[in-house]
Amino acid sequence: MALQDIQDYVAQAGKVSLRDLSLHFGSSPEAMRDMAGRLVRKGRLRVEMEQAACCGCKSKDGCAGAEYYSPAP
């Protein structure tokens, strides 16, 4: 999987949770967060946290279900 694959998938979906990215690409949420983070730093994706989607698990790594990526404007 390449960064372009992630960018294309998010562009096609419009908005994707970290959990969905992990499931789609068969990778851990931590690895997907690192790769998507590179695209955020390059200005190709935006990241946002949605409190309503948080399951309340108190994960120290952040909630994969509440972290969403969308194409950068």
Side-chain angles (χ1 to χ4, degrees), residues 9-35:
Y9 179 70
V10 173
Q12 181 181 8
K15 185 176 182 181
V16 182
S17 72
L18 177 60
R19 178 178 292 136
D20 289 341
L21 277 175
S22 298
L23 291 172
H24 180 80
F25 289 103
S27 187
S28 71
E30 295 80 15
M32 290 307 305
R33 183 179 286 124
D34 288 343
M35 289 189 281

Side-chain angles (χ1 to χ4, degrees), residues 34-58:
D34 288 343
M35 289 189 281
R38 291 180 195 169
L39 292 167
V40 170
R41 287 189 297 278
K42 290 181 177 193
R44 296 180 183 167
L45 294 181
R46 290 185 310 159
V47 63
E48 56 191 79
M49 297 296 287
E50 292 191 1
Q51 292 297 334
C54 183
C55 62
C57 66
K58 310 278 191 236

